[in-house]
Amino acid sequence: MKFKLLLDLFDEKSNGFLSGEEISNRLSISRAAVWKQINQLRELGYEFEAVSRKGYRLLYKPDEYEHKDLMQNINTAVFGSKLHLLESTTSTQIEAIKLAEEGAEAGTLVISDMQTSGRGRLGRSWFSPAGKGIWMSLVLRPELPVRFMPQLTLLTGVAVCSAIRKVTGVEAGLKWPNDILIGGRKVCGILLEAATEDNKVRYCIAGIGIDVNLSEQDYPEELRSIATSLRMEAGTSVSRSKLIGEVMNELETRYLQYEKEGFAPILREWEALSASIGKQVRSVALNQVIEGTAIGLSDSGGLMVLTEEGTNSTIFSGEVEIIQ
């Protein structure tokens, strides 16, 4: 690794400070080169404290992905059994779509340490820095009519939310249709994109972005009030490989259950994990505003809302805002 000598110096100090002068002398590089390497490490997910007259102290180093470690944590028959591990990509969704078009098997998983153009729902971008989050996309080949795709989105949310709770103990909740919240702030987004033919699904790509070990300082200013990470909520760093393994395990279990028993068990579990039900919500879609209390899911996966006028409405698409 390019920065091994510098990181070895910090390991020797055991959380102590290293002055820029000491680093410069021991590595035979200029002070400017020291500053440059520190900043490059920050871009890779390392965190440093810088104090005048003391120097630098390493506060956090990211857990690096290892293929062997990931495969030891993924105890599934199919999901994640074919693994593509990348250092950086524009978007794992784009990579997974390419693989699917080339005939990749169901369960093929693309993971990247960072994304330069991460994709969110409704054309939004997804903040995906190096070393601190889970940015991954899974190839699925469900034998389903297109109209059942929203159910797969909800199924994926249940699996990821359950995995987060198991690994961290943090009470994450589901916001319809595809967000996972902790304390009202977003920690995970899910994006399902399908290729269809004759009203059937040829393949589906389940994109999952989880803010795992980000600190508040990692977020752009505009995201700090609406986003959070598992590390911030749990008070400790979380193994990305362990969480990926648990997500794959939970997702495969729910997927097999869905094939055998249909959507009803997933619906009940989604409602039990929901951060939306019982809350006042607002939806704006096709210039129609629906506002009222979220009361549950319809059999097809839409969000049922009891309006202030006492009528029942079901939201099938668009964005839902929790207003209280």
Side-chain angles (χ1 to χ4, degrees):
M1 180 183 177
K2 177 182 176 182
F3 306 103
K4 184 178 185 305
L5 293 177
L6 176 56
L7 292 172
D8 285 346
L9 293 184
F10 281 105
D11 285 340
E12 287 177 20
K13 278 290 181 179
S14 300
N15 296 323
F17 282 92
L18 274 172
S19 70
E21 183 179 7
E22 182 178 356
I23 298 171
S24 174
N25 291 336
R26 294 188 63 179
L27 298 186
S28 299
I29 58 177
S30 68
R31 293 284 292 274
V34 171
W35 180 83
K36 184 177 180 181
Q37 287 198 22
I38 292 288
N39 282 335
Q40 287 174 333
L41 283 168
R42 282 179 170 141
E43 290 175 2
L44 294 174
Y46 290 79
E47 293 176 14
F48 294 89
E49 179 183 10
V51 177
S52 179
R53 296 195 202 53
K54 283 189 175 182
Y56 303 98
R57 182 160 66 104
L58 179 61
L59 299 177
Y60 171 84
K61 55 184 177 181
D63 58 328
E64 296 181 8
Y65 285 133
E66 296 287 347
H67 192 281
K68 180 180 177 182
D69 186 37
L70 281 162
M71 296 313 296
Q72 285 176 343
N73 279 285
I74 298 174
N75 301 307
T76 57
V78 175
F79 287 13
S81 58
K82 296 286 191 303
L83 181 61
H84 294 256
L85 187 57
L86 309 173
E87 286 187 13
S88 178
T89 185
T90 53
S91 164
T92 59
Q93 286 291 94
I94 293 172
E95 297 289 345
I97 288 169
K98 287 179 185 175
L99 291 170
E101 288 289 348
E102 293 167 1
E105 299 174 13
T108 299
L109 180 63
V110 178
I111 302 171
S112 185
D113 193 49
M114 69 173 292
Q115 298 179 118
T116 56
S117 301
R119 289 162 62 175
R121 192 165 169 264
L122 303 176
R124 298 190 183 105
S125 62
W126 184 265
F127 180 59
S128 318
K132 293 192 173 183
I134 290 173
W135 327 122
M136 64 183 180
S137 296
L138 181 70
V139 177
L140 302 173
R141 295 191 179 273
E143 295 183 4
L144 287 176
V146 174
R147 69 179 185 276
F148 290 116
M149 281 301 301
Q151 295 182 352
L152 281 186
T153 296
L154 298 170
L155 180 156
T156 304
V158 166
V160 176
C161 190
S162 298
I164 287 172
R165 286 183 168 216
K166 280 189 176 182
V167 172
T168 69
V170 173
E171 289 198 10
L174 295 163
K175 173 178 171 286
W176 193 92
N178 67 336
D179 290 342
I180 297 177
L181 310 180
I182 301 173
R185 295 198 291 176
K186 186 170 177 176
V187 75
C188 170
I190 293 164
L191 174 65
L192 265 70
E193 296 179 293
T196 63
E197 187 176 329
D198 297 329
N199 209 32
K200 290 187 177 181
V201 178
R202 286 177 48 228
Y203 65 80
C204 168
I205 308 299
I208 300 167
I210 308 174
D211 290 353
V212 183
N213 289 320
L214 284 79
S215 66
E216 185 175 358
Q217 290 70 35
D218 289 319
Y219 289 101
E221 189 67 38
E222 65 271 16
L223 295 180
R224 291 182 183 180
S225 64
I226 59 174
T228 189
S229 75
L230 299 179
R231 176 183 168 200
M232 289 165 63
E233 298 297 331
T236 186
S237 59
V238 175
S239 165
R240 293 186 295 170
S241 294
K242 183 177 179 181
L243 182 53
I244 287 171
E246 196 60 51
V247 168
M248 290 298 106
N249 298 341
E250 293 285 320
L251 191 49
E252 185 168 275
T253 298
R254 300 308 188 292
Y255 194 82
L256 293 173
Q257 181 185 36
Y258 179 69
E259 288 184 329
K260 291 178 181 178
E261 303 175 41
F263 184 57
I266 303 300
L267 183 156
R268 291 192 295 270
E269 195 171 7
W270 193 96
E271 290 182 336
L273 293 170
S274 175
S276 307
I277 294 176
K279 302 287 181 66
Q280 289 292 111
V281 300
R282 181 189 295 119
S283 170
V284 180
L286 301 176
N287 297 320
Q288 180 186 17
V289 178
I290 297 175
E291 187 170 321
T293 304
I295 57 175
L297 293 182
S298 69
D299 290 342
S300 60
L303 183 67
M304 297 188 297
V305 175
L306 178 63
T307 69
E308 293 178 357
E309 293 77 26
T311 60
N312 287 329
S313 294
T314 303
I315 301 168
F316 293 103
S317 62
E319 194 73 7
V320 170
E321 176 189 3
I322 298 175
I323 53 180
Q324 67 178 32

